[in-house]
Amino acid sequence: MSEDRRLAVLRAIVQDYVETSEPVGSKALLERHRLGVSAATVRNDMAALEEEGLIAAPHTSAGRIPTDAGYRFFVDRLSGVKPLSSAEKRAIATLLDGAIDLDDVVDRTVRLLASLTRQVAVVQYPSLTRSSVRHIELVPLGGTRLLVVLITTTGRVEQRILETGLDLTEETAERMLASLRSDVNGATVGKTLADAAGGLGELPTQVDPAARGLLAAIAAELTEVLVEQREERVVLAGTSNLIRAGEDFSTSIGPVLEALEEHVVLLKLLGTVTEQGDTVAVRIGAENPFAGLQSTSLVTTGYGAGSDLVAGLGVVGPTRMDYPTTMAAVRAVATYVSRILAD
Amino acid sequence: MSEDRRLAVLRAIVQDYVETSEPVGSKALLERHRLGVSAATVRNDMAALEEEGLIAAPHTSAGRIPTDAGYRFFVDRLSGVKPLSSAEKRAIATLLDGAIDLDDVVDRTVRLLASLTRQVAVVQYPSLTRSSVRHIELVPLGGTRLLVVLITTTGRVEQRILETGLDLTEETAERMLASLRSDVNGATVGKTLADAAGGLGELPTQVDPAARGLLAAIAAELTEVLVEQREERVVLAGTSNLIRAGEDFSTSIGPVLEALEEHVVLLKLLGTVTEQGDTVAVRIGAENPFAGLQSTSLVTTGYGAGSDLVAGLGVVGPTRMDYPTTMAAVRAVATYVSRILAD
DNA sequence: ACTGGCACTCATGCTTGGTGAGTGCCAATT
DNA sequence: AATTGGCACTCACCAAGCATGAGTGCCAGT
């Protein structure tokens, strides 16, 4: 029994099932692929593949469909890289080139990815953790409140309103703010956010004692923003594509939609991927740790300006998915948007 | 034939149909409502109501269901205000009180509204148009680029990066920026955004000629932000509630999901409502101008700090909806979130 | 190791007939 | 004139029965 042919059969099953969304039988396989053997032989191969847990039959005397393990094998060993058409490449380039600011880039990216893959696209805003401080601005708001604005190298702006308890309209307060402004910037600009938080922790002992209380409060507030990175956001598009693929989910699509609303979950999924280089990661079905997404597959990768990967992006769809095409699209979009972000 | 009883029948039909989601017949009606008449009489009334276009039968010999016009009549004339339970009120208050900044307020609000109504909630970020300028900050970004930060009275921060073409690290540039900073703020702070844009238009003639070109560029950029209000954002929650109500939509829920992704459309729908005071507006089925939403109903209202209404919020669900409860929830949430925003 | 043949399984789709909720209409009653 | 009981009729819904055919597993032959 030829090992090679058995894998060819697996590949053929995956391809046909993805295309037709119907269990594929031995005869149908022969019509669409030149395997050079008879139906009976294919049946033997199928029985072996089923034994190995790579395919399964929904019921007696129906065709076979790939299992999660089957898709995994296909993705790892059987699928080549499918290049994008040049029309698609051009569409990506022109669409993203028209973006006018960071929000727009993210918005266009997520819509592009959704329409390209015809699935649900997820794009994480460039994350704070790997970016660094470009500037920190302190703006008195009229009363006793102070607006702290943090600007990162990725162009992201975070703001925070701080109750100081001091009357900031007084002249002494203005002078104090001016010196604070330069001190804080001196201690943070250019550092990664984590380092900057550390740098702020050492500042209080070096400055005018009169401003110490205020500075401590600002430092605490900044540290919170820097370390907590609570502000991470994700954007979705193409949710309606779930409907089209509705019957592919073993369960209803309700739980899937619910899971997609839990942005924290999505962030976690996108977060792990940014740590492992620029490869495209695929999570298939039950490989996924989150209950609502166990009948879906995720195709994700990292993106960002320069060599630093600062965020993740990807799509989620049914396990019955055209992995080569989807992976190519995800990779291409990530590459282009990274280029755009690098200015 | 008693006009009053006929309307009582309509009310009963709406209530029963909303509860059971099944066409209601004359006999079933009698079992659940004390109308004091016989089934035959109810049938006559039903025939009359059908004649008037307020109810319809999905097919011969099934019960009746309300038409859009029937719901409209019910909302306008037959439904009392249903007060929230005190437990619900407390839940609203405690949840929203815990919010730490504007993003968090919006996020909590939309989730709250979704879980309260068990429908899709839509919350618009406080809009720029009706708020006014609190502060404008100019921050050089190291090279020739300048970051313009706009802070509004509603606590919103808008940023914009500007290519000046000048080397901003030079000392003369720094002085120029300082004077620009005070000029721009002097011309805009406290004004509504529209007025501020106008004020900026007049500035260029009053300042140091050397800075004129730069100021013009800044003014143009600001004007664009102020007037275009392109940045308006909406946030959704509870999309999975659409599934539960899936069969209520004449069409599939696909088009509905698509429409919900068109944030521009949602903004338009929320926008018109902010102009007509703090009443709760209801759009029923085909009353809605947008194709994808013609089998849904929208319940919306305005909210915002103080007497100015600065944004809209609401829910979208099937026309078969518990209007009194939903309207009460929308109104209550709007009231509370407005109170929170007023600080 | 592969192939052809064959009996068997079982989901799917169609038809059929029965059931019951619900209607419309009419003549009788108040 | 409004209301009511009665009655024939309609039609969606369900369950059962039946045919179909795709697909399988297995075995004996090459």
Side-chain angles (χ1 to χ4, degrees):
Chain A
M1 184 186 310
S2 152
E3 178 79 11
D4 282 356
R5 194 196 53 237
R6 227 167 57 215
L7 299 187
V9 169
L10 174 57
R11 178 193 285 117
I13 290 177
V14 171
Q15 287 171 348
D16 279 17
Y17 181 60
V18 164
E19 191 171 330
T20 66
S21 70
E22 264 164 32
V24 10
S26 52
K27 196 175 171 189
L29 249 190
L30 287 182
E31 288 172 8
R32 306 174 36 107
H33 301 266
R34 302 212 163 279
L35 290 176
V37 293
S38 78
T41 310
V42 171
R43 279 203 287 281
N44 289 332
D45 289 342
M46 282 179 162
L49 288 170
E50 186 163 16
E51 187 70 22
E52 299 177 50
L54 296 176
I55 59 179
H59 55 247
T60 350
S61 107
R64 307 306 220 294
I65 66 177
T67 62
D68 287 357
Y71 285 123
R72 164 58 54 199
F73 199 97
F74 174 81
V75 168
D76 288 346
R77 312 262 306 269
L78 299 178
S79 67
V81 198
K82 178 160 185 173
L84 292 194
S85 76
S86 64
E88 285 171 321
K89 284 187 194 167
R90 241 180 303 118
I92 296 177
T94 56
L95 189 68
L96 291 187
D97 279 342
I100 55 178
D101 62 10
L102 182 65
D103 282 340
D104 200 30
V105 169
V106 173
D107 192 53
R108 284 169 183 246
T109 302
V110 72
R111 286 174 191 262
L112 172 66
L113 198 51
S115 74
L116 221 47
T117 61
R118 296 179 108 1
Q119 267 151 6
V120 182
V122 185
V123 175
Q124 176 186 13
Y125 264 75
S127 158
L128 289 173
T129 29
R130 306 287 297 271
S131 58
S132 54
V133 177
R134 175 168 275 163
H135 190 85
I136 291 176
E137 185 61 22
L138 310 177
V139 185
L141 286 186
T144 60
R145 295 187 307 172
L146 184 70
L147 178 71
V148 181
V149 181
L150 163 67
I151 299 137
T152 75
T153 47
T154 49
R156 183 155 174 197
V157 176
E158 290 296 317
Q159 73 268 18
R160 199 105 179 172
I161 292 172
L162 186 63
E163 183 58 57
T164 64
L166 300 177
D167 183 0
L168 297 177
T169 57
E170 286 182 18
E171 204 164 332
T172 58
E174 291 208 1
R175 273 203 302 279
M176 182 170 56
L177 273 185
S179 89
L180 267 184
R181 200 172 281 137
S182 64
D183 285 350
V184 168
N185 275 285
T188 57
V189 168
K191 297 186 179 179
T192 70
L193 295 185
D195 292 348
L200 277 180
E202 301 168 3
L203 256 188
T205 59
Q206 308 165 3
V207 300
D208 172 9
R212 213 176 267 180
L214 182 51
L215 178 54
I218 297 176
E221 194 73 18
L222 271 175
T223 306
E224 193 180 330
V225 172
L226 298 178
V227 174
E228 256 189 13
Q229 64 188 26
R230 173 193 59 72
E231 276 285 65
E232 293 190 328
R233 262 166 49 203
V234 289
V235 181
L236 297 187
T239 324
S240 53
N241 290 329
L242 281 182
I243 307 300
R244 205 179 17 81
E247 295 118 14
D248 284 333
F249 300 105
S250 53
T251 165
S252 142
I253 73 172
V256 180
L257 268 178
E258 280 173 28
L260 290 179
E261 285 201 2
E262 280 310 316
H263 291 185
V264 185
V265 169
L266 295 179
L267 279 170
K268 219 165 235 162
L269 291 169
L270 290 178
T272 63
V273 88
T274 57
E275 291 167 8
Q276 54 188 45
D278 63 345
T279 56
V280 175
V282 180
R283 282 193 195 73
I284 298 171
E287 294 174 10
N288 200 297
F290 297 98
L293 298 176
Q294 300 215 331
S295 58
T296 69
S297 283
L298 279 84
V299 177
T300 55
T301 190
Y303 77 97
S307 61
D308 266 346
L309 292 172
V310 293
L313 110 201
V315 308
V316 13
T319 49
R320 185 186 78 72
M321 172 194 287
D322 182 349
Y323 291 95
T325 306
T326 305
M327 290 168 71
V330 167
R331 165 177 294 156
V333 169
T335 306
Y336 274 86
V337 68
S338 295
R339 194 175 303 167
I340 299 284
L341 286 183
D343 278 339
Chain B
M1 186 186 308
S2 152
E3 179 79 11
D4 282 356
R5 193 195 53 234
R6 228 167 57 215
L7 298 187
V9 168
L10 174 57
R11 179 193 285 119
I13 291 177
V14 171
Q15 288 170 348
D16 279 17
Y17 181 60
V18 164
E19 192 171 332
T20 66
S21 71
E22 265 165 30
V24 11
S26 52
K27 196 175 171 188
L29 248 191
L30 287 182
E31 289 173 8
R32 304 174 37 105
H33 302 266
R34 301 211 164 280
L35 291 177
V37 292
S38 78
T41 309
V42 171
R43 279 203 288 280
N44 288 333
D45 289 342
M46 282 177 161
L49 288 169
E50 186 163 16
E51 187 70 22
E52 298 177 49
L54 297 175
I55 58 178
H59 52 81
T60 349
S61 108
R64 307 305 219 293
I65 65 178
T67 61
D68 287 358
Y71 285 123
R72 163 59 55 201
F73 199 96
F74 174 81
V75 168
D76 287 346
R77 313 260 306 269
L78 299 179
S79 68
V81 198
K82 177 160 185 174
L84 293 193
S85 75
S86 64
E88 285 171 320
K89 285 188 195 166
R90 240 181 303 119
I92 297 176
T94 56
L95 189 68
L96 292 187
D97 279 343
I100 55 177
D101 63 10
L102 182 65
D103 282 341
D104 201 29
V105 169
V106 173
D107 191 55
R108 285 168 184 247
T109 301
V110 72
R111 287 174 191 262
L112 173 65
L113 198 52
S115 73
L116 223 46
T117 60
R118 295 181 102 15
Q119 268 152 6
V120 182
V122 186
V123 175
Q124 176 187 12
Y125 263 74
S127 157
L128 289 174
T129 28
R130 306 288 298 272
S131 57
S132 54
V133 176
R134 175 167 275 165
H135 190 86
I136 292 176
E137 186 61 23
L138 310 176
V139 185
L141 286 184
T144 61
R145 295 186 307 171
L146 182 71
L147 178 71
V148 181
V149 181
L150 163 67
I151 300 139
T152 75
T153 48
T154 49
R156 184 156 173 197
V157 176
E158 290 295 317
Q159 72 268 15
R160 199 103 178 174
I161 293 171
L162 186 63
E163 184 58 57
T164 64
L166 301 177
D167 184 357
L168 296 178
T169 58
E170 283 182 19
E171 203 164 333
T172 58
E174 291 209 3
R175 271 204 303 279
M176 181 171 55
L177 273 186
S179 89
L180 267 183
R181 199 172 283 137
S182 63
D183 285 351
V184 168
N185 275 285
T188 57
V189 168
K191 297 187 180 179
T192 69
L193 295 182
D195 292 348
L200 278 179
E202 301 169 5
L203 255 189
T205 58
Q206 306 165 3
V207 300
D208 172 11
R212 215 178 266 180
L214 182 51
L215 178 54
I218 296 176
E221 195 73 19
L222 271 176
T223 305
E224 191 180 332
V225 172
L226 299 178
V227 174
E228 257 191 10
Q229 66 187 26
R230 176 196 55 73
E231 276 285 65
E232 292 192 328
R233 263 167 47 201
V234 288
V235 181
L236 296 187
T239 324
S240 54
N241 290 328
L242 281 182
I243 307 299
R244 205 177 18 80
E247 295 118 14
D248 284 333
F249 300 104
S250 54
T251 163
S252 141
I253 73 171
V256 179
L257 269 177
E258 278 172 28
L260 289 180
E261 285 201 3
E262 280 310 318
H263 290 187
V264 186
V265 168
L266 294 179
L267 280 169
K268 221 166 234 161
L269 290 169
L270 289 178
T272 62
V273 87
T274 56
E275 291 166 8
Q276 53 189 45
D278 63 347
T279 57
V280 175
V282 180
R283 281 194 196 72
I284 298 171
E287 293 174 10
N288 200 298
F290 296 98
L293 298 177
Q294 299 214 333
S295 58
T296 69
S297 283
L298 279 84
V299 177
T300 55
T301 191
Y303 77 97
S307 60
D308 265 347
L309 292 172
V310 293
L313 108 203
V315 308
V316 13
T319 50
R320 185 187 77 74
M321 172 195 286
D322 181 349
Y323 291 95
T325 305
T326 305
M327 290 168 71
V330 168
R331 166 177 294 157
V333 169
T335 305
Y336 275 87
V337 69
S338 295
R339 192 174 304 167
I340 298 284
L341 286 182
D343 276 344

